[in-house]
Amino acid sequence: MIVVGVDASDSSLRAAAYAAGLARRQHATLAVVYVQPVLPAGAALGVPVTDTSDEIAESLAREIRTGAERVKDIFQVRWEFHTVRGDPYNGLVAAADALKADAVVVGASARAGHRIVGSVAIRLVKAGRWPVTVVP
């Protein structure tokens, strides 16, 4: 089982493409995981959090299904779409543990603050529970 974290960013979509190729070569199932934020900044402004994150999850699932349909004649990849709630790091850890991941693939963070606090990718690598591939 190859787990890939997606959040609609360009780097996460590149990670999904890389993970799909890896799953194809390994004859593994691809688990696409979207972590719905528990309390994003918009919640303080009255934006309905659940509705917004559910819309993002549905949009990602549609985009992945469309992509899978386009390439299904080229190669077959078994895939599943999962959503979990929480912060990205803990959500991916929980999903990877629950799905018994053989590897985790994530996109590199472009946020400047992650150089100080540490990105999700760095924290996953430091956890040392699975091989982690970070796609730029």
Side-chain angles (χ1 to χ4, degrees):
M1 174 76 62
I2 308 295
V3 172
V4 61
V6 295
D7 63 2
S9 68
D10 288 342
S11 66
S12 77
L13 297 177
R14 285 191 297 272
Y18 179 88
L22 182 62
R24 178 182 57 86
R25 288 187 299 280
Q26 299 294 325
H27 303 289
T29 300
L30 176 64
V32 180
V33 177
Y34 170 64
V35 180
Q36 293 179 320
V38 175
L39 187 62
L45 302 174
V47 176
V49 176
T50 304
D51 294 344
T52 303
S53 59
D54 285 346
E55 288 172 16
I56 293 169
E58 290 170 15
S59 173
L60 283 168
R62 274 193 309 273
E63 190 172 331
I64 292 164
R65 282 189 192 95
T66 301
E69 284 298 314
R70 280 194 303 247
V71 298
K72 73 177 183 179
D73 294 330
I74 299 170
F75 62 87
Q76 292 289 326
V77 174
R78 295 182 317 263
W79 64 277
E80 309 167 348
F81 185 79
H82 300 271
T83 59
V84 295
R85 293 191 190 278
D87 69 274
Y89 171 75
N90 288 318
L92 284 173
V93 167
D97 283 344
L99 296 168
K100 299 183 181 0
D102 296 309
V104 177
V105 180
V106 293
S109 176
R111 294 185 183 174
H114 288 170
R115 291 188 185 114
I116 299 166
V117 177
S119 69
V120 171
I122 290 170
R123 293 171 65 196
L124 287 169
V125 169
K126 286 182 178 180
R129 294 160 107 165
W130 333 263
V132 177
T133 302
V134 182
V135 177

